[in-house]
Amino acid sequence: MAGKRKRANASGRWRARHVVRGIPMLAATGAVLIVTAGAAGQLGALNDLFAVGQGAGDSPAKAPIVHRPEPPSLPTPLVPCGPGSRQQPGVDGRVPAGSAKDGLSCNVTLLGHQGTEGGFKVFRYSDAQGHECAFYDTTLLFPLNALNPGGGSAGVAVLDMSDPSHPVQTDTLTTPPMLSPHESVNLNPKRGLLAAVNGNLTTEPGLVAIYDAHADCRHPVLRSLSPVARFGHESGFSSDGKTFYATSTALQAITAIDVTDPDHPHAIWEGNIFSHGMSLSANGNRAYIADPGTAPGGDSKPNMLILDTSEIQARKSNPHAREISRLTWNSASIPQNAIPFTRDGKSYVLEFDEYTQATLHPGGDPDVVGAARIIDISDETKPYVVSNMRLAINQPAEHRAATEANDPGTGNPAQGYAAHYCNIPTRVDPRIVACSFIASGLRLFDITDLAHPKEIGYFVAPPQPRSENGNTASNFAMSQPAFAPERREIWFSDGTTGFYALRVDKSVWPADAPRAPARRCQARRRLLVKVRVPRGARVRRVRATLAGRLVRTVRRRGALYAVVDLRRVSRRTARLVIRLRLVGGRRTTTSRVYHLCPRRAR
């Protein structure tokens, strides 16, 4: 068995090494093909190379873009800042030159900091052995960051977060999709799979990397590196961890990739649909797609699409998707992503835009900022906006004044006072939202009352002048935050200063906001755990490990038992894994996790 693993690992390294060697030429060739074919209106040849057998793709009938009555786009009220806060000098969200020299904060405390650069996504994950980790991409604008002298942009950073006040980088993922993922890095927490597809400001050929962090999140293992998508920029991941979606944003191309076997991913559907970010429903039967409104002819509007993906999820032969509805709103700029959630069993979406209406649409208003909103999708054929989450600086007059005053970042088309990514700690009854608002830093909202959100805190990192922000010393908060809600922690990254672990003051953390589920701890004692043997089978070999260490097995009255001594486990969480090799060659694996009671102080 060990020999097979060695051969498999060697084979995987060979495939990865040879694919990597071909990437510079492939990327250069792909770029030329995109430009050439794009000018001619033909992209089929490259598409076929990167999604073999998908043909022309699925083109669902388009649902009409509808605009329904919505609440006014007013600033979200800010609650008072408590003791220890370093408050902004004026208009909520505005950071004039020099005002954030030592950072700004309201009801938020800095716990830990790591790194010098950040990107678009931050994830939290706990592995089978109880290690707590963070993952974040560092390539904000490839290749600009990567070429910075002494810069830290070298792929996806892996952090050991066992002590959030002292994050420790334990690994860096440097396959091409992790070096240039743009916004596509995605984590499936159920299976511990971390995936990305090559991307940039528009799109890149769809090389996909899949890592497995389940066994040891401090050192994820590369499972595959393969050209299974047409193009890449953003992504989606089904909750069951079996389907990774690569989205291209600049082109009508979504690829659904079956990752049931992460060593052998393969494309199962190609959709001719524009998609920026996308999120999937809990059952995988719906996709909530942020459409930037860049359809040919310029007659499209930025909108959110609800797409029926049930045939893809069910793995039907030649699956087809179906558009259910599309919704736009007054301040729509560039829809970034849309995250579904429920409140008391009713369905909603947290949608958020980036930049302004003029960024992609020449006739748009440069002072209309998209920001974030909550959309009721209980009737998915008739979604509507329930409320908005905006800063005062996002209002047209205030935004125009800050731009005319040349506030740091406002002269940079890749920055400015606008939202970029938001997140929630849970998709069932969330009470808090965290958003990166680019030059305004991290902003927190209480959504206990969905119709009337309120801003409860913020954190603006001490800015650093770098090439990414035009040496203007502005924040570059672009990342999707992550939560450790049981400790009131929020993790995010800033493009020019790195990763931050923050703690929200308990005075503003919503009283019924979700925390870690309560678990009854297991007493630290010695016990016998019966080995489950399939009926009628005979055991040839048994191997049991506890927290990665081999444990003894014994036979009592015709049954097998693992001898588990929880007194010798130093961690709070330990997994018992029992592997059987049966007569006839069949193998089975069972496992259970023990949440151990803390040791008593002597």
Side-chain angles (χ1 to χ4, degrees):
M1 186 172 180
K4 289 184 178 179
R5 279 199 300 268
K6 289 180 181 177
R7 289 194 295 272
N9 289 339
S11 174
R13 287 192 296 270
W14 185 92
R15 288 197 306 270
R17 184 167 61 249
H18 283 70
V19 172
V20 170
R21 285 176 178 172
I23 288 305
M25 180 63 71
L26 182 62
T29 304
V32 173
L33 285 173
I34 289 173
V35 173
T36 306
Q42 296 176 347
L43 288 162
L46 184 61
N47 288 3
D48 292 343
L49 285 173
F50 277 78
V52 177
Q54 297 305 299
D58 184 20
S59 299
K62 290 192 175 297
I65 300 174
V66 177
H67 182 201
R68 293 189 170 85
E70 61 180 281
S73 296
L74 300 175
T76 303
L78 173 64
V79 306
C81 298
S85 297
R86 297 190 301 274
Q87 298 185 45
Q88 57 199 0
V91 173
D92 182 33
R94 186 173 181 181
V95 185
S99 64
K101 179 177 177 295
D102 299 316
L104 302 173
S105 64
C106 174
N107 301 325
V108 173
T109 303
L110 172 64
L111 288 179
H113 172 248
Q114 187 274 338
T116 59
E117 290 159 311
F120 298 104
K121 299 283 184 71
V122 175
F123 294 100
R124 179 200 185 202
Y125 179 68
S126 294
D127 66 23
Q129 306 301 327
H131 304 118
E132 186 177 10
C133 297
F135 310 117
Y136 74 99
D137 58 297
T138 63
T139 310
L140 188 63
L141 293 171
F142 186 84
L144 299 182
N145 309 52
L147 300 179
N148 280 344
S153 292
V156 171
V158 180
L159 305 183
D160 183 337
M161 295 296 291
S162 54
D163 180 0
S165 63
H166 295 93
V168 177
Q169 186 164 351
T170 56
D171 209 341
T172 307
L173 311 182
T174 57
T175 49
M178 296 295 175
L179 286 170
S180 181
H182 205 65
E183 298 165 338
S184 71
V185 178
N186 217 323
L187 172 74
N188 177 262
K190 182 175 181 178
R191 299 184 66 196
L193 296 180
L194 188 71
V197 58
N198 267 69
N200 59 22
L201 289 173
T202 54
T203 192
E204 284 188 3
L207 185 70
V208 175
I210 301 174
Y211 287 78
D212 191 339
H214 178 261
D216 186 350
C217 63
R218 300 168 302 177
H219 300 285
V221 176
L222 177 63
R223 299 292 295 271
S224 60
L225 180 63
S226 50
V228 289
R230 289 187 180 179
F231 299 102
H233 177 102
E234 239 273 17
S235 68
F237 223 139
S238 62
S239 297
D240 60 12
K242 295 181 179 180
T243 313
F244 177 71
Y245 288 82
T247 66
S248 67
T249 301
L251 300 168
Q252 295 185 82
I254 306 175
T255 306
I257 302 159
D258 188 314
V259 296
T260 304
D261 178 357
D263 294 324
H264 301 94
H266 56 280
I268 55 174
W269 176 81
E270 176 69 31
N272 296 326
I273 300 170
F274 281 103
S275 174
H276 200 177
M278 66 181 293
S279 296
L280 283 297
S281 60
N283 59 13
N285 291 333
R286 294 290 184 272
Y288 304 95
I289 291 177
D291 185 338
T294 52
D299 57 349
S300 182
K301 297 179 180 178
N303 66 91
M304 182 192 75
L305 162 65
I306 301 179
L307 186 71
D308 183 341
T309 55
S310 56
E311 290 193 8
I312 303 167
Q313 181 69 12
R315 297 298 189 265
K316 289 191 176 182
S317 177
N318 190 28
H320 294 281
R322 178 177 63 89
E323 292 198 5
I324 297 173
S325 63
R326 289 179 178 265
L327 176 73
T328 191
W329 43 91
N330 288 325
S331 61
S333 53
I334 306 175
Q336 176 68 56
N337 210 324
I339 302 174
F341 69 93
T342 59
R343 171 67 63 82
D344 300 325
K346 190 175 181 180
S347 297
Y348 297 88
V349 159
L350 169 66
E351 193 281 338
F352 35 95
D353 293 358
E354 64 176 356
Y355 302 128
T356 74
Q357 286 188 344
T359 305
L360 287 184
H361 303 274
D365 190 332
D367 294 308
V368 174
V369 176
R373 61 207 41 79
I374 293 171
I375 300 174
D376 187 320
I377 58 168
S378 54
D379 180 350
E380 61 183 3
T381 66
K382 297 179 180 178
Y384 64 92
V385 176
V386 172
S387 60
N388 293 292
M389 282 167 282
R390 307 175 60 80
L391 310 178
I393 194 62
N394 300 145
Q395 299 304 100
E398 288 78 2
H399 189 270
R400 188 178 309 112
T403 303
E404 291 173 351
N406 200 28
D407 280 9
T410 56
N412 188 334
Q415 285 200 271
Y417 291 118
H420 195 259
Y421 266 113
C422 299
N423 204 2
I424 47 181
T426 175
R427 294 192 179 186
V428 179
D429 295 332
R431 296 295 193 275
I432 189 169
V433 171
C435 296
S436 290
F437 267 80
I438 313 183
S440 301
L442 183 76
R443 299 281 159 164
L444 310 178
F445 301 91
D446 183 336
I447 59 167
T448 301
D449 182 347
L450 292 177
H452 302 93
K454 54 186 178 181
E455 188 183 357
I456 58 174
Y458 54 78
F459 178 84
V460 180
Q464 292 292 328
R466 300 181 66 102
S467 61
E468 296 97 312
N469 58 10
N471 294 303
T472 59
S474 63
N475 265 225
F476 218 155
M478 304 284 276
S479 73
Q480 175 180 286
F483 292 82
E486 69 276 15
R487 301 190 299 264
R488 304 192 313 277
E489 290 176 21
I490 297 176
W491 306 346
F492 88 112
S493 72
D494 176 81
T496 58
T497 57
F499 172 90
Y500 293 88
L502 310 171
R503 177 162 292 155
V504 181
D505 192 273
K506 62 182 178 182
S507 66
V508 297
W509 187 272
D512 55 352
R515 298 179 182 271
R519 298 188 181 103
R520 185 175 180 180
C521 64
Q522 171 75 45
R524 294 178 180 271
R525 60 190 179 89
R526 185 175 181 273
L527 63 155
L528 295 178
V529 177
K530 188 173 182 179
V531 177
R532 288 180 287 178
V533 180
R535 181 176 297 179
R538 289 187 297 161
V539 177
R540 180 181 294 276
R541 184 183 175 210
V542 58
R543 186 175 186 273
T545 57
L546 179 66
R549 295 186 176 183
L550 197 66
V551 299
R552 191 163 56 97
T553 57
V554 297
R555 187 177 291 275
R556 300 280 174 85
R557 296 182 180 179
L560 282 170
Y561 294 87
V563 181
V564 175
D565 193 345
L566 299 175
R567 299 169 300 181
R568 297 185 178 182
V569 179
S570 59
R571 303 184 185 128
R572 289 286 300 275
T573 303
R575 181 181 293 270
L576 172 67
V577 180
I578 301 174
R579 295 181 174 87
L580 297 180
R581 183 176 180 181
L582 306 176
V583 173
R586 181 183 169 194
R587 302 172 191 270
T588 67
T589 301
T590 58
S591 66
R592 67 174 64 182
V593 176
Y594 296 98
H595 301 282
L596 305 179
C597 299
R599 297 183 186 277
R600 293 183 179 180
R602 295 182 178 179

